[in-house]
Amino acid sequence: MLTIDRVSKHFGGVYANRDVSMEVPDGELRGVIGPNGAGKSTLFNLVAGHLRPDSGSVSLDGRPLDRMPPHVRARHGVAIVFQGARLFPGMTVLENVMVGAHARTHGGLVAAVVRPPSQRRQERETRELAERCLARVGLEAAAQQPAAALPLGQQRRLQVARALAGQPRVLLLDEPASGLRAGERTDLTDLVRELNADGMTILLVEHDVGMVTSLAHRITVLDLGEVIADGTPAEVTTDPRVITAYLGAGGQHAAQHTGAQHVAHR
Amino acid sequence: MTRRPSTLLVVVAAVAACIAPLVLSDQTFFVHTVLAAVVVSGLSMLMGYAGQASLGQGAFVAVGALTVALGTTRWGLPPLVVLLLAPLVAGMFATVVGRPLLRLQGHYLAFGTLALLLMVQTAMSSIDALGGAYGVSGIPAFGVGGWTVTDQRPYAYLALACLAVVLWSSARIVDSRFGRAMRALSGSETAAESAGVPVGWTKVGVFALSAAFAGLAGAVTAFFTPYVSADSFPPLESFTYVIMAVVGGLGTIWGGVVGAVVVSVLLQALNTVSSQPGLPPTAAPIIQYAAYGTVLIIALLFLPRGIVPSVGSLRLRRPQGSPA
Ligand SMILES: Nc1ncnc2c1ncn2[C@@H]1O[C@H](COP(=O)(O)OP(=O)(O)OP(=O)(O)O)[C@@H](O)[C@H]1O
Ligand SMILES: [Mg+2]
């Protein structure tokens, strides 16, 4: 169970998050939506540890994460796919994914030079794990390419593969479908559903509200840093406050996506 | 990037390096160049992967040299033992000072490491136990068991052996769990952190590694010279390491070697020119300083990524060239 308890974070005069609370039980796929600047990425960064909240607390299974730096949270099973592409451009695609397993593996400088059998075995297992993760996102053919050479859509998928290599308990996906073509989008939707079916707790931020309503068990809606709605996709998409928020900030396009038509889809 | 130069090139360079000491009558330039390559290999990793410039690698060369000087003359330790101890002591020293130093960013870190060098120099010249005003002399010749070095030539091979060990371990480190974490840092610290990489400690690790290489070079210098004092490690030499690293190409295994050789040969050539009869005695230092600046500017203008990566991408651009 991931518990976000009244976290607030402000930048100058702007409240990016204000008293945001959420409880995500194990195995749930939670959608997080809201207009641009609503505070979705801020919330994810607070959970992953890249930002410190002004107040409030985040805990996993009752264990507070607040004092843990991001790399320790990774060891406790929190993984994040960032909104922008944040790759390791000087490394191959496969190596990028292998870094994703860092939290679950061991060995420093001495092990690197001496290479005892245990280290060799771990390297082999890490490589195989990374290959499996690449296959899951359909990038196995690009394994030996430099990561910087990938087109945008594949960079997004590479980030997902890297997060998977950590075999996380809680996966935070911040607009994973942005920059993907229609076919890639469907594949990603299937992958997210599959991962969740395997038991992974997933928090999904997406501007494509249709994608979120078709995937999520529950949806939390943020606007101007505050939770304005929380419920099943059907409840949320017909909530008048949600429709107003989207009309106010997102305009015509977002309003279409929030309408009841997507509920009818399901 | 970790492109490998062609095996042929490496073999030719290695053979040439092994023959050179047989041909040369004075080994000083050769030994210094090879040891500079040892120092610069570590610095290149630190700058290229951890993104941290150090203007004070001489501090760790000094720690390595002092370990040998004090270990042999004061504590009577065997030469081989102090040679192996020197990189460990330098690496440990870097681990201790690295935590606070590496909190500094960019230029501040560069100045912080320079300050460290000046502090080490001051300590060496003012504390008698570290040599004091007169330095430490009487360092015995290197030797193993009953065999003792009697002339200069074995030091050339000792330096080469150290360089070989350094390059071999660098190659293994780059392709390892630690190495991937270290290389990830130069791409995105945030992403590396969320993958579980302890950013602070990884940087300290690379710093300590670069210090260990520097300490090893310092140890051989101490046996070779055989005298160690605060003046043996002028800041200008530490600046030269940075220039060599940049010229050779940061974050490559061979960049350090290429940079050290190219810059050393160039400086030596200028030295020969400036000491020609007929030139005023002030010519030598002026030309030398001007040369440092010129070399660096030319390198940054025409080979901003350094020699090794630039040559590497030339090879990549060849039509049939498979990605090396
Ligand atoms: N590092 C920062 N410094 C200053 N202001 C910030 C910072 N990060 C976010 N903000 C502000 O906080 C608010 C919330 O930003 P956030 O990125 O969390 O929104 P978001 O919901 O992810 O938006 P988008 O849908 O555009 O990704 C915005 O007003 C943004 O300008
Ligand atoms: Mg965002």
Side-chain angles (χ1 to χ4, degrees):
Chain A
M1 163 96 84
L2 176 73
T3 312
I4 300 169
D5 185 23
R6 281 169 292 148
V7 296
S8 295
K9 177 76 191 173
H10 73 91
F11 296 106
V14 181
Y15 265 93
N17 276 184
R18 182 178 236 155
D19 280 338
V20 174
S21 293
M22 246 162 118
E23 288 202 338
V24 186
D26 288 345
E28 181 171 308
L29 204 163
R30 171 69 60 103
V32 179
I33 61 171
N36 286 324
K40 307 178 294 289
S41 297
T42 302
L43 181 66
F44 274 18
N45 280 315
L46 288 169
V47 174
H50 297 290
L51 290 174
R52 291 286 156 109
D54 303 329
S55 60
S57 164
V58 178
S59 53
L60 189 59
D61 297 334
R63 183 204 298 270
L65 302 179
D66 305 301
R67 303 176 73 91
M68 299 179 189
H71 71 271
V72 179
R73 296 188 195 200
R75 281 182 213 150
H76 282 86
V78 179
I80 180 169
V81 170
F82 294 102
Q83 186 168 354
R86 297 205 190 178
L87 300 173
F88 310 129
M91 303 165 74
T92 66
V93 166
L94 185 70
E95 285 175 325
N96 263 266
V97 181
M98 288 174 80
V99 175
H102 201 89
R104 316 178 41 255
T105 48
H106 303 279
L109 269 170
V110 177
V113 178
V114 180
R115 295 195 182 172
S118 61
Q119 191 68 22
R120 286 168 195 269
R121 190 176 340 108
Q122 181 183 276
E123 282 287 301
R124 199 175 53 241
E125 286 165 4
T126 306
R127 180 164 285 112
E128 286 164 5
L129 170 70
E131 280 163 357
R132 284 198 301 275
C133 294
L134 277 177
R136 278 199 103 156
V137 302
L139 275 181
E140 64 272 41
Q144 297 306 328
Q145 279 182 34
L150 293 185
L152 185 67
Q154 298 191 8
Q155 294 193 4
R156 304 292 305 158
R157 282 148 66 192
L158 174 54
Q159 265 212 75
V160 175
R162 186 175 65 199
L164 293 184
Q167 301 186 322
R169 297 187 40 216
V170 176
L171 177 61
L172 310 168
L173 296 168
D174 197 349
E175 303 194 26
S178 70
L180 295 196
R181 285 179 281 107
E184 293 177 311
R185 218 167 251 262
T186 321
D187 291 347
L188 182 78
T189 309
D190 293 343
L191 174 64
V192 172
R193 189 178 284 124
E194 230 175 86
L195 291 171
N196 180 242
D198 292 349
M200 199 180 282
T201 309
I202 298 177
L203 277 75
L204 172 68
V205 164
E206 251 313 320
H207 275 291
D208 182 347
V209 179
M211 179 177 167
V212 181
T213 49
S214 73
L215 278 172
H217 300 124
R218 285 180 79 83
I219 296 180
T220 302
V221 187
L222 291 178
D223 186 29
L224 301 172
E226 293 185 77
V227 176
I228 58 165
D230 190 326
T232 63
E235 287 164 7
V236 157
T237 46
T238 50
D239 188 317
R241 289 184 62 186
V242 176
I243 296 171
T244 319
Y246 266 84
L247 277 175
Q252 205 54 39
H253 169 78
Q256 283 169 5
H257 280 285
T258 352
Q261 46 167 322
H262 282 288
V263 183
H265 260 293
R266 286 165 58 86
Chain B
M1 301 272 171
T2 52
R3 291 199 196 90
R4 301 209 169 91
S6 69
T7 321
L8 181 69
L9 207 64
V10 173
V11 170
V12 169
V15 169
C18 290
I19 293 176
L22 300 175
V23 183
L24 296 168
S25 55
D26 182 44
Q27 308 290 339
T28 311
F29 173 72
F30 185 84
V31 169
H32 281 155
T33 304
V34 173
L35 293 179
V38 168
V39 178
V40 177
S41 294
L43 184 60
S44 176
M45 284 214 206
L46 180 69
M47 292 175 71
Y49 297 132
Q52 316 276 350
S54 165
L55 286 175
Q57 284 304 94
F60 305 116
V61 181
V63 170
L66 260 187
T67 306
V68 166
L70 300 179
T72 50
T73 61
R74 305 270 159 90
W75 307 318
L77 294 172
L80 185 62
V81 171
V82 286
L83 179 74
L84 298 177
L85 209 57
L88 292 180
V89 174
M92 263 149 40
F93 179 60
T95 308
V96 173
V97 298
R99 231 23 251 242
L101 260 184
L102 290 166
R103 282 176 201 278
L104 302 171
Q105 301 273 331
H107 303 309
Y108 295 102
L109 176 72
F111 291 129
T113 49
L114 177 56
L116 180 71
L117 171 59
L118 299 178
M119 274 151 59
V120 167
Q121 279 192 303
T122 311
M124 287 172 73
S125 60
S126 55
I127 301 173
D128 284 338
L130 301 178
Y134 303 104
V136 184
S137 47
I139 300 167
F142 185 74
V144 180
W147 173 74
T148 303
V149 171
T150 49
D151 65 337
Q152 278 197 334
R153 196 160 286 141
Y155 288 112
Y157 289 107
L158 181 63
L160 279 177
C162 290
L163 180 59
V165 168
V166 158
L167 292 176
W168 176 79
S169 9
S170 300
R172 282 173 90 100
I173 288 166
V174 163
D175 182 24
S176 74
R177 176 179 182 268
F178 179 89
R180 285 188 300 271
M182 156 184 104
R183 287 152 63 206
L185 290 186
S186 66
S188 164
E189 284 188 16
T190 313
E193 231 181 341
S194 56
V197 175
V199 172
W201 279 115
T202 305
K203 284 184 181 173
V204 171
V206 186
F207 192 57
L209 183 71
S210 77
F213 289 177
L216 183 62
V220 179
T221 313
F223 281 117
F224 182 68
T225 311
Y227 166 73
V228 173
S229 81
D231 299 331
S232 314
F233 313 98
L236 189 59
E237 200 163 283
S238 289
F239 302 163
T240 313
Y241 296 142
V242 176
I243 295 174
M244 288 170 168
V246 172
V247 167
L250 299 176
T252 57
I253 294 192
W254 291 95
V257 179
V258 173
V261 171
V262 168
V263 173
S264 296
V265 167
L266 203 74
L267 291 177
Q268 184 68 12
L270 284 167
N271 211 13
T272 315
V273 170
S274 57
S275 56
Q276 289 300 309
L279 287 174
T282 47
I286 292 176
I287 290 182
Q288 271 227 354
Y289 275 100
Y292 278 112
T294 316
V295 167
L296 191 59
I297 291 169
I298 290 177
L300 291 175
L301 279 180
F302 296 104
L303 297 169
R305 292 182 302 144
I307 294 174
V308 170
S310 306
V311 173
S313 51
L314 278 184
R315 288 175 55 228
L316 276 178
R317 252 183 255 127
R318 261 189 235 144
Q320 276 100 23
S322 59

